[in-house]
Amino acid sequence: MKGSVTAISGIGTGVGKTVVTGLLAQGLQKCDRKVVTQKIVQTGCTGISSDILEHRRLMGSSLIDVDYEGVTCPYSFGYPASPHLAARLEGAAVEVMTLRRATFTLQKQFDHVLLEGVGGLLVPLAPDLLFADYIRDAGYPLILVTATGLGSINHTLLSLEACIARRITLKAVICNRFGEIDTLIGDDTVEMTRHYLKKYGLRAPLFTLVGDTLDCGCIESLFL
Ligand SMILES: Nc1ncnc2c1ncn2[C@@H]1O[C@H](COP(=O)(O)OP(=O)(O)OP(=O)(O)O)[C@@H](O)[C@H]1O
Ligand SMILES: C[C@H](N)[C@H](N)CCCCCC(=O)O
Ligand SMILES: [Mg+2]
């Protein structure tokens, strides 16, 4: 039986996808689930993906064979930019089949693959391949990481609408309150996110991340 795949994206870059991916993996490990994380494309880094290193740190795990073999991060480019540009600067191009084969290899070995995207949902992996379209075509459900600072409501609702337009299954929304400056705005942003999940008819639960505490109770319930 091959393992499940869950994509983890965010309302943009630097919103906490890596932290959330690592914490979800940590939680699944605690439930004795065989879990691995994957970074679909790493930019701004050469060699082992910096996001994979952080996932393993949060999981309390050292690097594993599939990390060294590049299966958990099929593409790594040096320039800190969108994958389509970072790849072009190296005379390379991201290929869908390379991505799909890497994830499928992990599915054969693990119960769960947590697949971290790059930046936000509509980031081009290649000039005509947005991450949101890639996970739609692959049928991967999504956990969306949002932020709670000023400007996050707009980015969050745009991301929800992008999911709806593609009929992407939204498994959960995680409001990451890291770095929040204004609690009044932060609290309101969480509530407006909850309001629009209901208004849009999305049944995904909303959880908050404060520090390294995910308030989603038993993480395993997200991956049944
Ligand atoms: N809940 C948190 N607790 C502590 N640090 C956090 C938290 N959320 C984010 N950070 C820090 O904020 C920075 C950005 O977070 P992170 O790397 O997870 O973002 P990202 O969405 O994965 O970015 P990218 O698009 O580059 O992959 C990191 O330094 C991370 O350690
Ligand atoms: C450099 C670092 N790896 C970033 N996560 C890359 C984010 C690409 C975002 C592209 C964009 O939305 O303009
Ligand atoms: Mg990351």
Side-chain angles (χ1 to χ4, degrees):
M1 166 103 166
K2 70 177 182 176
S4 72
V5 180
T6 301
I8 289 136
S9 188
I11 61 169
T13 186
V15 297
K17 298 187 298 297
T18 297
V19 172
V20 166
T21 303
L23 292 176
L24 289 172
Q26 181 195 97
L28 283 170
Q29 273 183 162
K30 285 178 181 166
C31 301
D32 296 326
R33 297 294 189 91
K34 246 189 121 186
V35 56
V36 70
T37 66
Q38 192 177 21
K39 176 72 174 181
I40 191 160
V41 177
Q42 180 72 62
T43 66
C45 169
T46 52
I48 301 283
S49 154
S50 48
D51 283 5
I52 291 289
L53 289 168
E54 180 62 4
H55 298 162
R56 299 294 171 266
R57 184 188 72 80
L58 289 165
M59 295 165 73
S61 154
S62 50
L63 290 172
I64 55 180
D65 290 351
V66 285
D67 295 329
Y68 292 110
E69 293 158 2
V71 181
T72 51
C73 185
Y75 292 98
S76 199
F77 301 115
Y79 200 78
S82 176
H84 78 285
L85 173 60
R88 191 178 79 216
L89 293 174
E90 297 187 20
V94 171
E95 300 288 341
V96 170
M97 283 321 294
T98 302
L99 300 175
R100 294 295 301 276
R101 270 196 296 270
T103 301
F104 189 68
T105 299
L106 298 175
Q107 285 179 268
K108 288 189 282 188
Q109 299 175 40
F110 295 89
D111 300 328
H112 303 286
V113 180
L114 305 186
L115 173 61
E116 181 184 343
V118 192
L121 275 167
L122 301 190
V123 166
L125 302 175
D128 295 306
L129 177 65
L130 301 179
F131 179 70
D133 295 331
Y134 175 74
I135 65 171
R136 174 203 56 205
D137 297 344
Y140 299 155
L142 172 71
I143 290 176
L144 180 70
V145 180
T146 71
T148 58
L150 187 60
S152 299
I153 294 173
N154 171 57
H155 295 152
T156 299
L157 299 194
L158 284 169
S159 300
L160 294 180
E161 295 196 7
C163 290
I164 293 165
R166 291 168 175 78
R167 293 185 172 79
I168 290 170
T169 300
L170 187 62
K171 284 179 80 163
V173 172
I174 294 178
C175 295
N176 182 10
R177 303 194 71 155
F178 177 72
E180 185 179 291
I181 295 164
D182 183 322
T183 309
L184 177 65
I185 290 176
D187 290 345
D188 177 73
T189 301
V190 173
E191 285 320 304
M192 285 301 279
T193 304
R194 212 184 294 280
H195 175 67
Y196 272 87
L197 281 170
K198 190 172 177 190
K199 190 179 175 83
Y200 286 165
L202 295 167
R203 299 170 61 82
L206 181 152
F207 304 113
T208 56
L209 172 61
V210 180
D212 60 2
T213 305
L214 257 178
D215 77 339
C216 59
C218 171
I219 286 179
E220 195 177 19
S221 62
L222 279 176
F223 297 91
L224 292 177

